[in-house]
Amino acid sequence: MNSKKRACEEIGIYSEEYVLSADTSQDKLLALVDTLNQKDGIHGILVQLPLPAHIDEDAVINAISPYKDVDAFHPVNVGKIMIGNYNFAPCTPAGIMELIAESGIDIKGKECVVVGRSNIVGKPMSMLLLHSHGTVTICHSRTKNLAEITRRADILVAAVGRPEMITGDMVKEGAVVIDVGMNRLEDNKLVGDVHFESCEKKAAAITPVPGGVGPMTIAMLMKNTVKSARLK
Ligand code: GUN
């Protein structure tokens, strides 16, 4: 949470942080969301996920005003992303699109393989790549012959949450490899879903963990918040 607060301070966005105890009731959390929905000076609301097991995540996401949903997790905003006409871009996928664009890579007609089908990354990522005219394949834990599919990718996005599972032999020569993973190992080391050393040898471009996708996600969160204020 600290990095989001710091980013707000750096660029002059007023922010409020509510650190609730893990046993906070769902009703109490929903009441807080509602207060912030009504509050004039607040243009963006982010509820940090995952939530404790006793809280219904969908109920909380549904309670956030779609106009303040800077994560773009509310079903209304998810639907808009699906259609391709949206105000709030999903932060992590949008950050990845910026990285790809800034690197001068054209997505049109490229084989894009997304490993992971989460609502936060895998699904919206696939939509953004599709809107940019990529040929998109979504892989997941039940996918057969995963390596065969990842080896086809011109652009490979790993968002599975399994430490270093994408290895060099799964990557095509000259591919663009994007690592969304944030896995904390037992020795406290932070690693991605991509085995960097072996994949770096094959890739034309590759993002590190930490320092690749993560800071871009926060930048996109700031962008959505400013956009929300402007739209208001
Ligand atoms: N937990 C992991 N990623 C995210 C994110 O982008 N937004 C929120 N709210 N929680 C997360």
Side-chain angles (χ1 to χ4, degrees):
M1 206 62 194
N2 249 343
S3 45
K4 290 166 196 147
K5 214 167 124 182
R6 216 177 314 121
C8 285
E9 277 165 19
E10 269 176 33
I11 65 172
I13 294 179
Y14 166 78
S15 73
E16 295 178 2
E17 184 184 20
Y18 297 86
V19 182
L20 308 180
S21 66
D23 62 359
T24 298
S25 72
Q26 179 167 319
D27 283 350
K28 209 165 163 196
L29 177 56
L30 289 174
L32 174 58
V33 168
D34 192 49
T35 302
L36 296 171
N37 279 342
Q38 313 283 343
K39 196 166 175 178
D40 270 344
I42 298 291
H43 299 100
I45 300 170
L46 177 145
V47 179
Q48 187 66 33
L49 304 177
L51 292 168
H54 69 280
I55 293 180
D56 177 358
E57 217 161 80
D58 285 342
V60 176
I61 289 171
N62 289 351
I64 298 170
S65 161
Y67 298 104
K68 298 190 177 185
D69 170 39
V70 284
D71 261 324
F73 290 168
H74 189 285
V76 165
N77 291 321
V78 174
K80 284 169 178 275
I81 291 158
M82 185 93 177
I83 292 163
N85 179 14
Y86 49 87
N87 286 323
F88 297 137
C91 297
T92 298
I96 292 169
M97 296 301 279
E98 290 264 345
L99 283 174
I100 293 173
E102 284 283 321
S103 307
I105 294 153
D106 187 13
I107 296 167
K108 199 184 330 166
K110 296 265 163 67
E111 288 276 355
C112 306
V113 175
V114 178
V115 189
R117 55 174 158 178
S118 71
N119 290 332
I120 295 184
V121 184
K123 285 187 217 167
M125 182 78 252
S126 305
M127 279 301 127
L128 298 197
L129 291 166
L130 184 62
H131 295 325
S132 291
H133 313 290
T135 302
V136 183
T137 305
I138 307 173
C139 300
H140 47 79
S141 54
R142 316 279 170 90
T143 296
K144 297 203 171 84
N145 307 321
L146 178 66
E148 229 170 75
I149 300 168
T150 59
R151 271 197 293 267
R152 287 208 308 254
D154 300 309
I155 298 170
L156 177 61
V157 180
V160 260
R162 283 180 52 193
E164 300 180 323
M165 74 156 292
I166 304 291
T167 45
D169 57 305
M170 300 169 75
V171 173
K172 181 165 85 175
E173 196 74 42
V176 172
V177 180
I178 314 271
D179 190 354
V180 186
M182 294 269 254
N183 309 293
R184 188 71 68 178
L185 300 182
E186 266 173 24
D187 63 1
N188 214 33
K189 194 183 164 205
L190 187 69
V191 300
D193 292 347
V194 171
H195 185 261
F196 190 87
E197 288 72 25
S198 59
C199 293
E200 188 190 22
K201 294 190 178 87
K202 300 285 237 1
I206 184 166
T207 65
V209 175
V213 170
M216 291 304 292
T217 298
I218 295 171
M220 296 303 107
L221 183 67
M222 299 299 116
K223 192 172 168 179
N224 279 348
T225 307
V226 171
K227 189 169 188 188
S228 178
R230 289 215 171 112
L231 287 171
K232 182 90 197 312

